[in-house]
Amino acid sequence: PLATLISGTQLALLAKRPVDHLLETLASNLEDLEALKILVNDMLFLAQADHGALAHEMAATDLHSEVLEVVEFFDAWLAEAQLRVEVIGSAGAHCTPTLFRRAVSNLLSNAIKYTPKGGTISIL
């Protein structure tokens, strides 16, 4: 993914392109970079977990609010994929909110990839 981002950016910079093409390239690169950020964070978390690091920041957490926050983060991707999300129910847990959001982000990312256009993703 990094090689693709680098070569695509180099090509965009070398050729005289209209501004709208450059903006499209930047938007595409940003999507790829966001995905890479998630991947790197997940890899760092797994590496730390492999070495015995424990989750910190355990607290009483409103899971419904956390899910809504993740859904809001994915709003642009959902709109592009013509998908909607329904969050059903409410619950609380004693957990690490950051890790919970990461798990929901991974699940929602996969749901966006595999849900047909115009579909609905239900989070219960």
Side-chain angles (χ1 to χ4, degrees):
L2 287 175
T4 302
L5 282 167
I6 291 168
S7 63
T9 303
Q10 287 172 335
L11 284 173
L13 290 173
L14 289 175
K16 296 207 183 241
R17 307 266 187 207
V19 172
D20 60 330
H21 177 70
L22 293 174
L23 289 174
E24 188 177 306
T25 300
L26 286 173
S28 176
N29 287 357
L30 182 59
E31 286 180 24
D32 292 342
L33 289 167
E34 289 290 344
L36 281 171
K37 180 181 81 171
I38 292 168
L39 178 66
V40 168
N41 284 338
D42 288 347
M43 290 171 52
L44 286 171
F45 171 73
L46 291 172
Q48 290 170 345
D50 281 348
H51 287 87
L54 299 174
H56 299 288
E57 307 170 29
M58 297 281 281
T61 305
D62 176 6
L63 302 182
H64 184 85
S65 296
E66 297 295 331
V67 168
L68 291 177
E69 188 175 316
V70 172
V71 169
E72 183 178 332
F73 175 77
F74 280 89
D75 193 43
W77 287 292
L78 289 162
E80 183 179 317
Q82 299 173 7
L83 299 172
R84 81 182 256 286
V85 174
E86 61 180 0
V87 181
I88 302 167
S90 62
H94 192 76
C95 65
T96 304
T98 307
L99 295 179
F100 178 76
R101 284 191 302 271
R102 179 177 293 153
V104 173
S105 292
N106 288 341
L107 292 170
L108 186 54
S109 174
N110 284 332
I112 291 169
K113 287 179 193 172
Y114 299 108
T115 301
K117 276 192 174 192
T120 299
I121 299 167
S122 298
I123 301 175
L124 310 172

